[in-house]
Amino acid sequence: MSAETTETTESTSGPPAKSGAPGPRALARRRRRASVARFWKEYRKHRAGVFGLATLVLFVLVALTAPLTVGSDVDSVTDAPGQPLESPSGRFPLGTDQFGRSLLGLLIWGSRVSLLVGLLAAVLSVLIGALIGITAGHFRGWYATVMMRITDWFLVMPTLVLAIVLATVLSRSLGTIVLAIGVTTWPTTARLVRAQTLAVESRPYIERAKALGGGHWHIMSRHVLPNVMPLILAQTTLIISSAILAEATLAFLGLGDPAVVSWGGLLQDAREAGSVSSGDWWYLVPPGIGIAVVALAFTLCGRAVEAVLNPRLGVSR
């Protein structure tokens, strides 16, 4: 090949492509990392939210390490290490229950069930509410009318009464508790998500997406869902605290799984043992404090997340 031909080839081919340029996936990952970093930077400014998050991390670590710290046989009635209803001492810092079991061990072990049930029930509730809210806001017409009337019916009905009915009709298990809480606490999420969906679909880029041939699934999954996801995340953290309180209430009423230790179950056992009338405060106070602290921590986290994702709320720090 002559020198003239080589020069012509080099001049027409243009400059070589940069081999080190990041691809679309790398750019997406970089944007997600930057978004998470911005979120954490703003979240740290909310002292109450940081306190709630630290409290939750502590409780989660305690729950995860329960098999190592207290053992899996802490709820055994036949091998109880102490005497029934012993007051707090060096051997039993929180005393014993009516069977002689360590209340500290039961409290630590019960945190696993209370946190798990609260999280699963909140996720189920938010999934139902988000699905109904997005579809009702997108399709509108008779479908939205029917869904919103069903939502209004659930809103006016007492949530606890519906949960008690479901927990009574179905078998007594953790799955029943999760189902009873999840299917009775979704209306508020559905209302909020539908309102946000209507606001998103009124924007011009939704009309452009429809004009370019975007179908229902494309509009809801690619445009509506990313815009309502911050609201869904904030709502999840707020519902978890309500779900934990609902689980404790159902267990206290004797509708939980009797073979599983939970904070609400401990309160129910204390009531049956007559701790209120006999003054055995160590049987009642620790589970109640645990429920209140965890519910408060989730509420503080939810408020902080809501303030970060929607600064116009003006939530105090």
Side-chain angles (χ1 to χ4, degrees), residues 114-136:
S114 296
L115 291 174
L116 179 62
V117 171
L119 178 61
L120 293 179
V123 170
L124 177 61
S125 173
V126 169
L127 285 177
I128 297 174
L131 178 62
I132 293 178
I134 292 176
T135 55

Side-chain angles (χ1 to χ4, degrees), residues 15-30:
K18 295 182 180 181
S19 59
R25 293 184 178 180
L27 290 175
R29 288 194 296 268
R30 186 179 301 175

Side-chain angles (χ1 to χ4, degrees), residues 82-290:
Q83 299 298 320
L85 298 177
E86 287 188 34
S87 59
S89 60
R91 184 184 179 190
F92 301 109
L94 296 180
T96 62
D97 68 348
Q98 56 183 333
F99 302 109
R101 300 175 296 181
S102 172
L103 278 175
L104 178 60
L106 293 174
L107 188 70
I108 293 175
W109 193 262
S111 64
R112 297 166 61 91
V113 175
S114 296
L115 291 174
L116 179 62
V117 171
L119 178 61
L120 293 179
V123 170
L124 177 61
S125 173
V126 169
L127 285 177
I128 297 174
L131 178 62
I132 293 178
I134 292 176
T135 55
H138 176 77
F139 291 106
R140 307 182 189 181
W142 67 267
Y143 174 79
T145 302
V146 172
M147 289 295 101
M148 288 302 99
R149 297 297 78 78
I150 295 175
T151 303
D152 292 339
W153 184 82
F154 273 95
L155 279 174
V156 298
M157 288 293 293
T159 301
L160 182 59
V161 174
L162 291 176
I164 290 175
V165 170
L166 288 176
T168 304
V169 173
L170 302 177
S171 61
R172 297 174 62 182
S173 64
L174 292 181
T176 298
I177 297 296
V178 171
L179 182 64
I181 298 173
V183 301
T184 56
T185 57
W186 58 267
T188 302
T189 303
R191 277 287 183 184
L192 293 174
V193 172
R194 180 177 181 268
Q196 185 69 13
T197 300
L198 292 174
V200 170
E201 295 213 354
S202 64
R203 297 172 183 173
Y205 68 86
I206 298 294
E207 295 296 331
R208 289 196 295 267
K210 293 179 180 179
L212 293 174
H216 297 298
W217 175 253
H218 175 82
I219 298 297
M220 289 187 293
S221 61
R222 296 296 183 88
H223 299 290
V224 176
L225 183 59
N227 284 279
V228 302
M229 185 57 70
L231 176 63
I232 293 175
L233 293 177
Q235 191 68 10
T236 302
T237 56
L238 293 173
I239 290 180
I240 290 177
S241 60
S242 300
I244 291 176
L245 292 174
E247 185 276 331
T249 302
L250 293 176
F252 177 75
L253 295 175
L255 300 175
D257 189 348
V260 176
V261 177
S262 67
W263 289 341
L266 290 177
L267 291 176
Q268 198 265 346
D269 291 341
R271 181 182 63 84
E272 289 186 347
S275 298
V276 177
S277 58
S278 60
D280 299 332
W281 60 266
W282 61 88
Y283 207 164
L284 291 167
V285 174
I289 292 178

Side-chain angles (χ1 to χ4, degrees), residues 31-50:
R31 286 195 295 266
R32 284 195 293 266
R33 287 196 296 267
S35 179
V36 171
R38 288 194 302 270
F39 173 83
W40 176 241
K41 181 180 178 181
E42 292 297 323
Y43 186 91
R44 287 184 300 176
K45 297 178 181 179
H46 298 264
R47 293 186 294 271
V50 174

